Short mmCIF file of all heavy atoms in Angstrom, two decimals:
data_model
loop_
_atom_site.label_atom_id
_atom_site.label_comp_id
_atom_site.label_asym_id
_atom_site.label_seq_id
_atom_site.Cartn_x
_atom_site.Cartn_y
_atom_site.Cartn_z
N THR A 7 81.97 100.92 89.65
CA THR A 7 81.00 99.87 89.70
C THR A 7 80.06 99.82 90.97
O THR A 7 79.19 99.13 91.04
CB THR A 7 81.70 98.49 89.63
OG1 THR A 7 82.61 98.41 90.78
CG2 THR A 7 82.49 98.32 88.35
N LEU A 8 80.35 100.76 91.83
CA LEU A 8 79.56 100.70 93.06
C LEU A 8 78.91 102.07 93.31
O LEU A 8 79.30 103.07 92.76
CB LEU A 8 80.52 100.47 94.36
CG LEU A 8 81.17 99.06 94.34
CD1 LEU A 8 82.17 98.94 95.44
CD2 LEU A 8 80.17 97.98 94.41
N GLU A 9 77.91 102.03 94.21
CA GLU A 9 77.25 103.32 94.67
C GLU A 9 77.43 103.44 96.11
O GLU A 9 77.90 102.61 96.80
CB GLU A 9 75.75 103.21 94.34
CG GLU A 9 75.53 103.03 92.78
CD GLU A 9 74.08 102.84 92.47
OE1 GLU A 9 73.23 102.94 93.42
OE2 GLU A 9 73.66 102.56 91.26
N LEU A 10 76.99 104.61 96.65
CA LEU A 10 76.98 104.85 97.98
C LEU A 10 76.30 103.72 98.72
O LEU A 10 75.12 103.35 98.34
CB LEU A 10 76.34 106.18 98.32
CG LEU A 10 77.20 107.47 98.12
CD1 LEU A 10 76.35 108.65 98.29
CD2 LEU A 10 78.30 107.47 99.04
N ALA A 11 76.87 103.23 99.84
CA ALA A 11 76.24 102.15 100.59
C ALA A 11 76.95 102.16 102.05
O ALA A 11 77.79 102.91 102.34
CB ALA A 11 76.42 100.85 99.88
N TRP A 12 76.33 101.29 102.83
CA TRP A 12 77.07 101.01 104.14
C TRP A 12 78.14 100.12 103.98
O TRP A 12 78.09 99.05 103.33
CB TRP A 12 75.95 100.60 105.19
CG TRP A 12 74.99 101.50 105.49
CD1 TRP A 12 73.74 101.72 104.96
CD2 TRP A 12 75.16 102.62 106.44
NE1 TRP A 12 73.12 102.84 105.57
CE2 TRP A 12 74.03 103.33 106.50
CE3 TRP A 12 76.24 103.05 107.21
CZ2 TRP A 12 73.81 104.50 107.24
CZ3 TRP A 12 76.07 104.19 108.03
CH2 TRP A 12 74.96 104.92 108.05
N TRP A 13 79.28 100.47 104.69
CA TRP A 13 80.49 99.65 104.65
C TRP A 13 81.07 99.52 106.05
O TRP A 13 80.88 100.41 106.90
CB TRP A 13 81.62 100.41 103.82
CG TRP A 13 81.18 100.44 102.33
CD1 TRP A 13 80.43 101.36 101.78
CD2 TRP A 13 81.69 99.60 101.36
NE1 TRP A 13 80.33 101.06 100.46
CE2 TRP A 13 81.08 99.92 100.11
CE3 TRP A 13 82.55 98.45 101.23
CZ2 TRP A 13 81.30 99.38 98.89
CZ3 TRP A 13 82.70 97.85 100.15
CH2 TRP A 13 82.17 98.34 98.93
N VAL A 14 81.63 98.38 106.35
CA VAL A 14 82.35 98.15 107.49
C VAL A 14 83.86 98.56 107.18
O VAL A 14 84.45 98.08 106.26
CB VAL A 14 82.49 96.70 108.06
CG1 VAL A 14 83.35 96.46 109.16
CG2 VAL A 14 80.97 96.19 108.33
N VAL A 15 84.38 99.63 107.88
CA VAL A 15 85.73 100.06 107.75
C VAL A 15 86.57 99.67 108.87
O VAL A 15 86.27 99.95 110.01
CB VAL A 15 85.77 101.63 107.56
CG1 VAL A 15 87.11 102.12 107.24
CG2 VAL A 15 84.70 102.07 106.49
N ILE A 16 87.67 98.91 108.54
CA ILE A 16 88.54 98.46 109.64
C ILE A 16 89.89 98.98 109.31
O ILE A 16 90.48 98.78 108.22
CB ILE A 16 88.53 96.88 109.74
CG1 ILE A 16 87.04 96.39 109.99
CG2 ILE A 16 89.54 96.41 110.72
CD1 ILE A 16 86.98 94.85 109.98
N LYS A 17 90.49 99.68 110.27
CA LYS A 17 91.84 100.10 110.20
C LYS A 17 92.76 99.37 111.12
O LYS A 17 92.34 99.20 112.32
CB LYS A 17 91.92 101.67 110.48
CG LYS A 17 91.15 102.49 109.48
CD LYS A 17 91.25 103.95 109.83
CE LYS A 17 90.38 104.80 108.79
NZ LYS A 17 90.58 106.17 108.95
N THR A 18 93.99 98.99 110.66
CA THR A 18 94.92 98.36 111.55
C THR A 18 96.15 99.06 111.55
O THR A 18 96.48 99.92 110.71
CB THR A 18 95.16 96.98 111.02
OG1 THR A 18 95.74 97.01 109.74
CG2 THR A 18 93.90 96.05 110.96
N GLU A 19 96.90 98.85 112.72
CA GLU A 19 98.29 99.40 112.77
C GLU A 19 99.25 98.23 112.83
O GLU A 19 98.94 97.24 113.60
CB GLU A 19 98.40 100.23 114.05
CG GLU A 19 97.56 101.50 114.05
CD GLU A 19 98.02 102.52 113.02
OE1 GLU A 19 99.27 102.53 112.63
OE2 GLU A 19 97.18 103.18 112.47
N GLN A 20 100.31 98.37 112.17
CA GLN A 20 101.30 97.23 112.09
C GLN A 20 100.78 95.94 111.74
O GLN A 20 100.67 95.07 112.55
CB GLN A 20 102.10 97.16 113.44
CG GLN A 20 102.82 98.46 113.85
CD GLN A 20 103.89 98.99 112.88
OE1 GLN A 20 104.28 98.24 111.93
NE2 GLN A 20 104.44 100.12 113.12
N PRO A 21 100.41 95.78 110.46
CA PRO A 21 100.55 96.70 109.30
C PRO A 21 99.51 97.83 109.36
O PRO A 21 98.44 97.69 109.90
CB PRO A 21 100.30 95.78 108.08
CG PRO A 21 99.29 94.74 108.57
CD PRO A 21 99.72 94.53 110.02
N SER A 22 99.80 98.90 108.70
CA SER A 22 98.97 100.10 108.62
C SER A 22 98.14 99.99 107.34
O SER A 22 98.60 100.32 106.24
CB SER A 22 99.87 101.33 108.56
OG SER A 22 99.04 102.47 108.50
N CYS A 23 96.87 99.43 107.51
CA CYS A 23 96.06 99.22 106.43
C CYS A 23 94.60 99.66 106.84
O CYS A 23 94.26 99.76 107.94
CB CYS A 23 95.98 97.77 106.15
SG CYS A 23 97.42 97.00 105.43
N THR A 24 93.86 100.03 105.75
CA THR A 24 92.43 100.25 105.82
C THR A 24 91.75 99.31 104.88
O THR A 24 92.04 99.18 103.79
CB THR A 24 92.12 101.69 105.42
OG1 THR A 24 92.95 102.63 106.25
CG2 THR A 24 90.61 102.05 105.53
N TYR A 25 90.65 98.66 105.42
CA TYR A 25 89.96 97.60 104.75
C TYR A 25 88.43 98.08 104.68
O TYR A 25 87.92 98.50 105.72
CB TYR A 25 90.05 96.21 105.39
CG TYR A 25 91.34 95.77 105.61
CD1 TYR A 25 92.02 95.98 106.72
CD2 TYR A 25 91.97 94.96 104.63
CE1 TYR A 25 93.27 95.53 107.01
CE2 TYR A 25 93.26 94.49 104.86
CZ TYR A 25 94.00 94.71 105.96
OH TYR A 25 95.22 94.28 106.13
N TYR A 26 87.81 97.96 103.55
CA TYR A 26 86.40 98.21 103.45
C TYR A 26 85.70 96.97 103.02
O TYR A 26 85.98 96.22 102.01
CB TYR A 26 86.15 99.23 102.22
CG TYR A 26 86.59 100.71 102.57
CD1 TYR A 26 87.84 101.10 102.46
CD2 TYR A 26 85.65 101.57 103.08
CE1 TYR A 26 88.25 102.33 102.83
CE2 TYR A 26 86.08 102.83 103.42
CZ TYR A 26 87.41 103.19 103.23
OH TYR A 26 87.82 104.51 103.57
N PHE A 27 84.74 96.50 103.86
CA PHE A 27 83.99 95.38 103.57
C PHE A 27 82.49 95.74 103.35
O PHE A 27 81.86 96.57 104.14
CB PHE A 27 84.03 94.43 104.85
CG PHE A 27 85.39 93.92 105.09
CD1 PHE A 27 86.20 94.53 106.13
CD2 PHE A 27 85.95 92.86 104.49
CE1 PHE A 27 87.50 94.12 106.38
CE2 PHE A 27 87.20 92.45 104.67
CZ PHE A 27 87.99 93.07 105.65
N GLY A 28 81.95 95.25 102.32
CA GLY A 28 80.60 95.53 101.92
C GLY A 28 80.34 95.41 100.40
O GLY A 28 81.14 94.63 99.86
N PRO A 29 79.39 96.04 99.82
CA PRO A 29 78.42 97.13 100.47
C PRO A 29 77.32 96.29 101.13
O PRO A 29 76.97 95.16 100.83
CB PRO A 29 77.94 97.93 99.22
CG PRO A 29 78.05 96.87 98.05
CD PRO A 29 79.20 95.91 98.37
N PHE A 30 76.67 97.08 102.08
CA PHE A 30 75.48 96.63 102.80
C PHE A 30 74.39 97.50 102.62
O PHE A 30 74.52 98.77 102.45
CB PHE A 30 75.81 96.40 104.22
CG PHE A 30 76.97 95.38 104.49
CD1 PHE A 30 78.20 95.82 104.74
CD2 PHE A 30 76.65 94.05 104.54
CE1 PHE A 30 79.21 94.92 105.01
CE2 PHE A 30 77.59 93.23 104.73
CZ PHE A 30 78.90 93.54 105.03
N ASP A 31 73.09 97.06 102.69
CA ASP A 31 71.98 97.79 102.53
C ASP A 31 71.59 98.72 103.69
O ASP A 31 70.90 99.73 103.73
CB ASP A 31 70.71 96.93 102.30
CG ASP A 31 70.81 96.23 100.89
OD1 ASP A 31 71.42 96.86 99.97
OD2 ASP A 31 70.25 95.20 100.86
N SER A 32 72.18 98.38 104.97
CA SER A 32 71.85 99.08 106.21
C SER A 32 73.09 98.98 107.14
O SER A 32 73.80 98.03 107.07
CB SER A 32 70.58 98.56 106.87
OG SER A 32 70.82 97.31 107.41
N THR A 33 73.08 99.90 108.06
CA THR A 33 74.10 99.83 109.17
C THR A 33 73.93 98.57 110.01
O THR A 33 74.94 97.97 110.41
CB THR A 33 74.07 101.11 110.00
OG1 THR A 33 75.20 101.18 110.90
CG2 THR A 33 72.86 101.37 110.73
#
Side-chain angles (χ1 to χ4, degrees):
T7 59
L8 300 175
E9 299 178 7
L10 282 170
W12 288 101
W13 294 81
V14 174
V15 183
I16 302 177
K17 295 181 180 187
T18 62
E19 294 295 330
Q20 301 298 352
S22 180
C23 295
T24 302
Y25 304 91
Y26 288 84
F27 297 98
F30 297 100
D31 293 327
S32 68
T33 185

